[in-house]
Amino acid sequence: MAKHKVFISYDHSEDALYKRLLQAWDANDKFDFEFDSRGPDVAINSTEASVIQASLTKMMKSATHILVIVGAKSHESDWITWEIDRAKQSDTKLKLAAIKLEKANKTPPGLLNVGTAWATSFTLDRIIDALDDATNTY
């Protein structure tokens, strides 16, 4: 199977611990993770947003998948909403995968009813399974 190039979407202020864990797993030969380096305090409607969006779009266009880490506040994040919507546009069309950190966490609307592949737990094997099962047939 081809190597997955994965763009990670997560709440920078709430779920950075999980990003760091994924960075530790990044040595795995089944995938490469892409992380954006914007600060968590940059609002999507700020004057800096367009530069960040252009940078994120470039990273997404070089990826094959988007993996959304669904934390307690992810469904409220304008950035996560934008990243999911951007990932589904025809010039990007990333395969969708996600992992809920807690079962009760609310799913961001852009992941619903579009065939998102879900990891059943935050473990390397389950995340690889979700990436392997992910499609872009939304």
Side-chain angles (χ1 to χ4, degrees):
M1 182 169 282
K3 192 172 191 173
H4 303 313
K5 189 158 183 163
V6 185
F7 178 86
I8 306 297
S9 179
Y10 67 101
D11 184 318
H12 290 242
S13 62
E14 298 290 321
D15 303 318
L17 167 71
Y18 296 93
K19 173 208 170 195
R20 288 191 291 276
L21 184 54
L22 290 172
Q23 284 174 313
W25 292 342
D26 198 27
N28 189 294
D29 63 0
K30 292 189 179 186
F31 51 78
D32 283 323
F33 289 132
E34 289 285 329
F35 299 95
D36 73 75
S37 58
R38 68 177 162 83
D41 57 347
V42 176
I44 197 162
N45 59 355
S46 74
T47 55
E48 300 171 50
S50 63
V51 172
I52 294 167
Q53 288 171 337
S55 174
L56 295 176
T57 297
K58 183 178 180 181
M59 288 193 303
M60 288 178 167
K61 286 183 175 184
S62 71
T64 57
H65 295 68
I66 183 172
L67 175 65
V68 182
I69 300 173
V70 181
K73 297 182 180 181
S74 299
H75 69 283
E76 300 171 357
S77 169
D78 292 335
W79 277 110
I80 290 175
T81 297
W82 181 87
E83 289 167 349
I84 293 167
D85 290 346
R86 187 65 183 94
K88 293 189 286 188
Q89 291 180 10
S90 63
D91 65 332
T92 313
K93 202 139 172 96
L94 298 180
K95 295 178 181 180
L96 300 175
I99 174 69
K100 280 190 177 185
L101 299 178
E102 299 289 336
K103 188 174 183 175
N105 290 351
K106 189 173 178 183
T107 301
L111 295 176
L112 296 172
N113 304 314
V114 291
T116 302
W118 289 91
T120 56
S121 62
F122 198 93
T123 63
L124 181 59
D125 290 342
R126 296 295 72 81
I127 290 171
I128 290 171
D129 288 346
L131 294 172
D132 287 345
D133 294 342
T135 68
N136 56 1
T137 57
Y138 32 83

